[in-house]
Amino acid sequence: MKTAHIGLSLLFGALLGIGVPQDVTAQESLSVTVTPPMIQLTIGPGETWASSLKVVNTNSYDLAYYAAPVDFEAEGEEGKGTFKPLPGDATSLGSWIEISRDPFLVPRGTSMEIPFTVRIPESASPGGQYAAILIGTTPGDDALEGPTVRVASYVSSLLFVRIKGDIDERARIREFRSEEWFLQESKATFALRFENTGNTHLRPQGEIVLYNMWGKERGRVQLTQKSAFGNVLPMSIRRFSFAWEGEKSLFDIGRYSAIVTLSYGEEQKQNTSAVTYFWVVPVVPVAVTLGGGLLLAFLIAWLIRRYIRRAVAIERERFGGIPVGTSHATIQTLMRPLRDGAVDLRAVAGRESETQLPVSDEPQQLTLFGFLQKYSLFFFFLTVILAASWGIWMYFDSVLLPEREFTITEVSAEEEMMSE
């Protein structure tokens, strides 16, 4: 049965690593859970939107928490994100979030709704804006010192805001490849780099399908189709990685193709695709198989030559020399061993032929053992042909199977979280 376990390395790191309520433990072993982990919003310049966060105190005692808005941006291609202190000119989403900075007490084992408001100024440019609300056990000012935000004792709820206007949704697959083009096992690691060249975040959705050299499917990866996460921020590149493992079958070797097809965009759905190729060739088993095939071909050629020599020898015995004449005479010469065998087979069965072929002056009665011994090369040749036919049938029956088991696994077991 197919199994597809897409790891968090396929998700957009910091944008995706907070896909479930999070518990953050500080030095005093304090914990806090905040929901929702991410909010996506479309709003116009000059508009206001209000909501709230739910903070759950899972400790065994009452605890005071603090809230602080910060800006958020992607860092690198490996799923890391960075929180930034708010600028002084109020030109970013974090500075447009209104939330109380006063501490709020949450009794043990209970939760509290923390209201906040997003006010978009009239001068806001169309496109994506990104921020987060940090919830921690110390005042937010302690975390906001320096060029980046220290998040060791804070939990975040991300805000992805799309400001209405001239939205530019452009993207492309920057790279799609297998880490190795030649493999000795049905195991491959793939890297997909998706580049967002527009002015708002995009969430690529689609699938990657793997085919063998006969065009039969050998794997399928769903990419962010059942998740609200997987966003790629404007003017950034996100690297998705996954590992594929097919069945260990000697027959299913050759050139494989992996085709990725993605769609993206909220204003208008767009599509992009790419393909990569790789080879799966188990060297030792293939070398043994090819050696066996060459030996089989040699045996077939040798048996055919022995058969022709026997046919010529029979004609020599009959006529005292090699017959020379038309192609019909040549055919008769090659058919002579078969006719002899038919006559001998009748003799073994104890049946008299009404029209006995003139093979020799006095046909001899053969025993079954004598018949098998006399025509041992023929039966050996027949066995070789049947074995070769069975091998060919098994090969095509295997490689042309419509579906085979496969596994999709994560490349790394660790989540990429916010950089500190």
Side-chain angles (χ1 to χ4, degrees):
M1 182 177 182
K2 294 181 180 179
T3 59
H5 306 291
I6 311 300
L8 289 178
S9 59
L10 278 178
L11 306 180
F12 191 70
L15 311 183
L16 310 171
I18 316 178
V20 295
Q22 299 183 13
D23 292 339
V24 173
T25 303
Q27 293 178 353
E28 300 85 359
S29 298
L30 307 178
S31 64
V32 57
T33 301
V34 177
T35 58
M38 185 174 73
I39 298 172
Q40 298 195 57
L41 171 66
T42 299
I43 191 172
E47 297 181 359
T48 300
W49 183 81
S51 185
S52 64
L53 299 178
K54 182 179 181 180
V55 180
V56 182
N57 181 4
T58 57
N59 299 282
S60 59
Y61 41 83
D62 301 346
L63 200 58
Y65 296 100
Y66 297 83
V70 294
D71 287 328
F72 175 80
E73 64 181 30
E75 181 182 25
E77 300 181 14
E78 300 303 322
K80 291 184 178 181
T82 302
F83 294 137
K84 297 288 186 180
L86 303 181
D89 53 1
T91 57
S92 64
L93 177 61
S95 59
W96 304 337
I97 298 174
E98 298 177 359
I99 190 170
S100 174
R101 302 295 185 93
D102 297 330
F104 51 92
L105 182 67
V106 182
R108 63 181 182 178
T110 63
S111 62
M112 179 178 292
E113 298 287 338
I114 308 301
F116 68 93
T117 303
V118 179
R119 298 185 185 277
I120 308 298
E122 293 284 353
S123 59
S125 301
Q129 291 281 347
Y130 311 98
I133 298 177
L134 300 182
I135 305 294
T137 56
T138 57
D141 293 340
D142 294 346
L144 301 180
E145 296 177 356
T148 59
V149 177
R150 301 190 305 275
V151 295
S153 58
Y154 290 84
V155 177
S156 65
S157 180
L158 299 178
L159 277 79
F160 284 18
V161 175
R162 183 191 301 262
I163 299 177
K164 299 176 183 178
D166 187 12
I167 301 297
D168 183 11
E169 296 179 325
R170 287 182 297 167
R172 61 171 177 163
I173 296 175
R174 183 69 173 267
E175 183 182 25
F176 178 54
R177 62 183 176 86
S178 170
E179 297 290 351
E180 296 180 353
W181 70 272
F182 185 86
L183 303 164
Q184 296 193 47
E185 293 183 280
S186 297
K187 294 181 180 180
T189 302
F190 296 90
L192 168 64
R193 299 174 68 226
F194 184 85
E195 182 179 15
N196 183 352
T197 57
N199 64 0
T200 187
H201 57 279
L202 300 172
R203 182 163 60 93
Q205 294 180 292
E207 61 183 10
I208 302 167
V209 186
L210 288 88
Y211 298 95
N212 68 2
M213 64 185 298
W214 301 96
K216 298 301 179 180
E217 183 179 324
R218 291 296 179 262
R220 183 178 293 264
V221 185
Q222 304 295 328
L223 191 64
T224 71
Q225 290 194 15
K226 298 181 180 180
S227 171
F229 300 91
N231 295 280
V232 184
L233 268 61
M235 308 307 295
S236 68
I237 299 174
R238 171 59 185 147
R239 188 178 188 271
F240 299 89
S241 300
F242 69 95
W244 164 82
E245 181 176 355
E247 282 187 358
K248 294 182 179 180
S249 173
L250 175 62
F251 294 124
D252 224 4
I253 65 175
R255 187 176 187 241
Y256 281 71
S257 62
I259 302 174
V260 55
T261 303
L262 300 177
S263 62
Y264 60 91
E266 295 292 334
E267 302 290 325
Q268 182 179 0
K269 282 294 182 182
Q270 303 178 59
N271 297 294
T272 182
S273 63
V275 61
T276 187
Y277 300 95
F278 62 99
W279 286 83
V280 176
V281 181
V283 176
V284 175
V286 168
V288 173
T289 303
L290 289 178
L294 292 175
L295 180 60
L296 179 63
F298 173 79
L299 286 175
I300 292 175
W302 180 75
L303 289 170
I304 291 175
R305 291 183 64 186
R306 285 294 301 269
Y307 176 84
I308 294 174
R309 288 177 181 176
R310 179 172 175 77
V312 172
I314 291 174
E315 291 301 306
R316 274 204 187 115
E317 187 177 347
R318 289 185 63 214
F319 300 104
I322 300 176
V324 179
T326 63
S327 60
H328 177 72
T330 303
I331 294 174
Q332 292 297 321
T333 298
L334 296 177
M335 291 295 293
R336 174 60 62 180
L338 297 179
R339 292 181 180 180
D340 285 354
V343 172
D344 290 339
L345 185 60
R346 292 192 189 102
V348 170
R351 294 196 298 262
E352 295 291 340
S353 175
E354 294 181 359
T355 57
Q356 189 170 344
L357 297 172
V359 177
S360 60
D361 295 337
E362 295 182 0
Q364 298 178 353
Q365 188 78 13
L366 291 178
T367 64
L368 178 60
F369 178 76
F371 176 78
L372 294 176
Q373 187 177 28
K374 182 177 180 180
Y375 295 100
S376 58
L377 287 178
F378 169 76
F379 287 110
F380 181 66
F381 176 77
L382 184 62
T383 302
V384 170
I385 293 297
L386 291 176
S389 301
W390 178 80
I392 294 173
W393 180 83
M394 287 292 294
Y395 171 75
F396 283 102
D397 181 66
S398 176
V399 299
L400 297 181
L401 193 68
E403 293 185 4
R404 294 284 288 274
E405 292 186 357
F406 64 92
T407 303
I408 305 298
T409 57
E410 58 181 334
V411 175
S412 174
E414 296 184 9
E415 297 182 30
E416 293 285 351
M417 301 303 294
M418 311 300 180
S419 61
E420 297 188 13

